[in-house]
Amino acid sequence: MASENKFEPTNPAVKWVEDRLPIMGLIYSAVGAGYNVPRNLNYWWNFGVLAGFMMVVQIVTGIVLAMHYIPHIDLAFDSVQHIKRDVNYGWLIQAIHANGASMFFIAVYIHILRGFYFGSYKAPREILWFLGVIIYLIMMATGFMGYVLPWGQMSFWGAKVITNLFSAFDFIPIIGDGIVEWLWGGFAVDQPTLNRFYSLHYLLPFVLVGVVILHIWALHIPGSTNPLGIDAKGPHDKIPFHPYYTAKDAFGLGVFIMFFAAFVFYMPDFLGHPDNYIKANALVTPEHIVPEWYYLPFYAILRAIPDKLLGVVAMFSSILILFAMPWLDGARIRSMRFRPLSKFFFWLFVVNGLFLGYLGQIPTDQIVTMGIDALTFAQFATLFYFAYFIVIMPLVSRMETTKPVPVSIAAAVLDANKKKG
Amino acid sequence: MTTHNDVVEERRNFLYIATTTVGAVAVGAAAWPLVDQMNPSKDVLALSSIEVDLNAIPVGQSVVFLWRNNPIFIRHRTAEEIARAEADDTADDLIDPESDADRVQKPEWLIMSGVCTHLGCVPLDQQGEFGGWYCPCHGSHYDISGRIRKGPAPTNLPVMEYVFLDDTTVKIG
Ligand code: HEM
Ligand code: FES
């Protein structure tokens, strides 16, 4: 469905290039006037572009930081302070990169939940969805390794706890025993660990670029779905990406950048931890270690289970289960606009996820309310998290009575316009 | 009867398998250095042992040392603590049962790793429900013999190799 309109350059120079390397035609039919898109996309469809923007921001600022950063256990911490104090505009570039990671995750979380709500993972977009989950996993690995680089207390202990997750697999023959030492390059998190994390933190974003290109390629096969979740049928249902969605996306981007700038300029440390302003110390664990906010729900799931191996397995499963969604959800209708019960459980899932995030950053024995501690709440929330995928989604999607679905996008849009008068 | 064609096919199959096998071995041989380089290097493996003078540690106190960049706990246990550790040998909440006698060379000196066997934090001395160590990261309680009693950690704090050079000097590693 990609290019209904063909790219026909009139400029002879452009034509000369195009005949030899049809790259402008590719852009034209991928994100230009040659790519036709459902006419009814709302702002929830803006977040893919926002995530892509953040990926570019992270790469550009990251390359600059790498010009001044030193991956050495005695110098790393000070080199970051040097960037913030001495390097021209270092304070700005460092703040953009540090807060940019959070903005990237905000964009991607909304992007994923958009997929949940509008059934974007359903046929024929399963591979597109898988690529998205892979992107998300790569992002998590990259963010984690980046956070280790400043070599503060949270960096160090975060690295230790997360790499130790793999020690839960020590029952695996041959590789099990040495896996953590292999990750560390020693008997503890140390210089070799910092060095390799730096190497991989530089590499993975480029792997990400590759997977994002596949993701967008897969997107262009069926094209975007839309808030109604019905397939676009005729030319009445679609409009060219450029200028309509380039303009809409640019507006959304402007708003997003303002939000981003508020953090960078007014509260650059809001999303960080004070403990990371203390240099790494292998003798003292900070009293209360917590990961970055975007890992908190999964950290809460890890802590909810009082068994090392099962905790680690539950944590990994909580993300890997996304791969099964196209089959767990058996509904014939994509959009939750027409699936009231699914919609209700979706919002419950979102609230539960936020609650897990809250629980992930307080001590497990802290009393939350009514004399019940965080651990107990986290166990119930974990149970609901998995029940949502394993019980609620398969059953509700197959059994609920759905609302009538409009015959076409154009019909629905015109109808809505009529009502507005 | 084997025809000429059968022979050709058999030879071809043999060549397929032989080539693929050699190719797979070559890929494996090329990949191994790339994997193995991440293992601890020779200088890391060669890290020496440390000697600790125990005179500096009064009864009822613990000291933390760094060995191979990991904390080591040395506790000079009181008679009361030793009695409690031995009495707990038969406690039914031992997750990783081990007798106190197997964990020490001299009962007054408890020398062991200071790395929580859950996910690697450093447990805090004289805290928790069993009068030993408490790991604040995810709530593991160790007793005064360093045995895990409650929480997510699967095993006791490991006892590493050490020798007493004389009554008050111990060599770790
Ligand atoms: C670096 C991160 C990512 C980038 C740059 C990115 C980029 C994009 C873009 C530009 C679109 C089209 C615009 C839109 O629908 O919003 C898109 C669509 C999509 N993305 Fe992503 N994405 C990323 C991560 C993810 C993740 C983590 C998932 C899911 C786990 C995901 C799932 C999808 C799906 C299912 C669609 C099709 C949506 C539809 O047509 O309804 N993406 N992506
Ligand atoms: S690291 Fe000690 S309880 Fe998790």
Side-chain angles (χ1 to χ4, degrees), chain A residues 228 230-233 237 338 404-412:
Chain A
L228 297 171
I230 53 180
D231 290 329
K233 291 183 188 96
D237 290 343
F338 311 108
V405 176
V407 286
S408 77
I409 295 175

Side-chain angles (χ1 to χ4, degrees), chain A residues 164 182 187 196 285 299 308, chain B residues 35 70 117-119 122 138:
Chain A
N164 258 313
W182 178 74
F187 302 102
R196 65 189 54 183
T285 309
Y299 191 61
K308 178 167 164 174
Chain B
V35 173
N70 276 317
T117 58
H118 181 227
L119 296 173
V122 183
H138 316 95

